[in-house]
Amino acid sequence: MEVVPVEHFEFQQPSEAPVFEPSINEFDDPISYISKIRPVAEKYGICRIIPPEEWRPPFSVDLNKFTFNPRVQPLKELEATTRVKLMFLQNLAEFWELMGTSLKLPVVEKKVLDLYVLDQLVKKEGGFINATTNRKWSYISHTMGFQPDKNHGMAIKSHYERWLGPYNTIQKTNFDRRRRKKGVEVLTGSVKRGVNPGCISFSKRLCEFWRRKGMRLSWPLIDKKSVDLFALHEAASTAGGLVDWCSIARSMQFKENSASDLRLCYNKLIKPFVESGGEESVQDADVCDKCMLNDNAENIVVCVGCGTVYHLDCLRPQLIDYSKVPKGNWNCYACIKEKLNKSREPYGFDQAEKHYTLEEFGQMAVQFKEEHFGMPCLSVPIEEVEKEYWRLLTDLEHDTMVEYGADIHSVDHGMGFPLRDEANSVKMETDEYTQSKWNLNNIPVIETSVYSHIGTNVPGVTIPWMYIGMCFSTFCWHIEDHWSYSINYLHWGEPKTWYGIPGKDAELFEKVLKNVAPVLFDGQPDLLHDLSTTVNPNTLMKHGMKIFRTDQKAGEFVVTFPRAYHAGFNQGFNFAEAVNFAPADWIPIGRACIDHYASLLHVCVFSHDELICKLAKKGSSLDQSLVKATLKDMAVMLESESNKRKLITKSGVTKTERVIFEKIPDDNRQCAHCKTTCFLSAVKCSCREDIFCINDYFKIKEACGCPPSNFIFKYRYDLDELLTLITNCKVHLAKN
Ligand SMILES: [Zn+2]
Ligand SMILES: [Zn+2]
Ligand SMILES: [Zn+2]
Ligand SMILES: [Zn+2]
């Protein structure tokens, strides 16, 4: 399928993100180095750090044992606006399938007409009638890129009427299902030609039979293929008493092991109908739902979904070619709407069928890139790959698939950086890197990173993940959990191209994305958190957003700042490792994130309050900057908590109970409303099992309507204890 481009699209490179080259003296502790460059780098969302020449950590994955299972990424489904278009065209094709016709993409000027763009343009003009009365068709034709001197307006208009008009009309109209009562009076037409049983399809009679029993016949599926019940009926009835289900399965092109399913289908759906002698008894079903006449039987259509009958010329809106019964299975409009509006599965990637060793994946990756560009991998300029990548993401014509080994953790077969546990068995040179604070296995345990105090391992957050890329494999727009920093190291291979957006523009980004692809959020409000959607940076730039890019080469780090959206793709076969971290300046950001998560009903990865209280308790052993930030956050926390506790007491809740929340698994202490992980406090009603966070106290009251005496207030610390924690921190600060 070729799609007419509205504008001839050429990717415009965003400006470059900053690059830092620390000297060997500056290159000591990543947390303090990054806080030093933050005032400059943060404004770009992302930055690149080139370690000193002499810093060359060994690659420590066990190449003989390490295998992984990549994800499959179909390139034409990755980009938000392309996916919207794809979904539209799939929906349109399905619509025509349900109408008993196949969608044939019309051709204008030897090019396939882009029905999605046409539909958008007509909507912009206020719909078909407005476009016609305002004589907009030649304007629409020009906008779609057709030559102005040739007037294709009328052709485009008729293509619209043929393929898009009925689709839009039916989407807009409400079709009530008429529930006909049994024994409804059948009006006899003035020209009664009698009922020709041959014209009444088997499926209609079967549907009607079940409808009379108060049941909707839904078409059975075996092996994802719908079963032709008429063929099944024919095959079973000609077989007489001795039915060979295996041969029926074969004749209907099912696998032989479907035989028992087919028999079940027959016994459940068809046999009762045959045995009731239903063949004759449902003749009066041949009554047009609109005019209630049963004449003119050659011109009826029967819905395969619900068995409703219409005369072709009684149907509104009429079928395009309403002198002919559609060749395929026809569905009534109510059924079509129901089937088209079925909720979609959230979009996500499938795992590849294959497990690869690094060597196997590398061979596949190199071959793919060489064949795609027709030259050796390293001869393709970075800008060429970038342009081609964004072109492929809008290309509906080809099905280019790539694979990406992402979010992989393997202690057994080593990580990219040497692990501490192996320290005894490695050489001295390796040992330097085992201890190095820039070794991503160590960043989570650096004392000045808040995450070193979480106490449990959270994959990807406090323990690194590995990423094995090939040309075009993609990481979609996202921010880190709890709005952390992230640091990524490219161990070897071809570059990784990054795009970043400053953290302060995060909400703008979310707004723009909802604006350019609203339908994607319909069944998937948490779309961006699913890491399966990217957007062309040029689209974002057109909406006034600042985007920055960088090419991370082997041996280089990329750092992303809190709430800075980032995305990108790999230039070729490569191996990267990444982890989150959170210096003192992250603490207030982490608190803001928790409030944001609660407003989105988004589950937390850990409890922020729990982490802060843990830090406060450690007090004296902590770095000064961390104590200061903890103290500030504790003050904010205490004020909000004491205000809310007052409200709860005031409303008449008197029962209280201390709960050691950190001993309860996170899943079992989620607020039933906002999903936040409870730590400081929670409210429970004796009438239900779940708990609510202190913010949602009034929600639980509303939900169960019980008197305050039913509620119990659960708390971790009383207010005095929280105050003591704060005082201890202050004392510690004063001492130093
Ligand atoms: Zn009629
Ligand atoms: Zn129907
Ligand atoms: Zn809540
Ligand atoms: Zn209750």
Side-chain angles (χ1 to χ4, degrees), residues 692-713:
F692 282 67
C693 75
I694 193 166
N695 292 316
D696 290 322
Y697 166 61
F698 291 99
K699 291 240 162 54
I700 184 179
K701 266 188 81 176
E702 213 175 282
C704 69
C706 295
S709 57
N710 266 23
F711 294 105
I712 178 156
F713 179 73

Side-chain angles (χ1 to χ4, degrees), residues 181-201:
K181 289 190 200 87
K182 272 185 197 170
V184 67
E185 194 188 342
V186 178
L187 303 171
T188 310
S190 49
V191 203
K192 187 170 182 203
R193 291 186 210 156
V195 177
N196 177 356
C199 284
I200 307 168
S201 73

Side-chain angles (χ1 to χ4, degrees), residues 2 40 51 128 149 194 221 322 342 376 451 461 543:
E2 196 196 338
V40 177
F128 179 78
D149 51 321
L221 292 175
Y322 55 86
K342 260 188 323 221
Y451 285 176
V461 177
H543 283 79

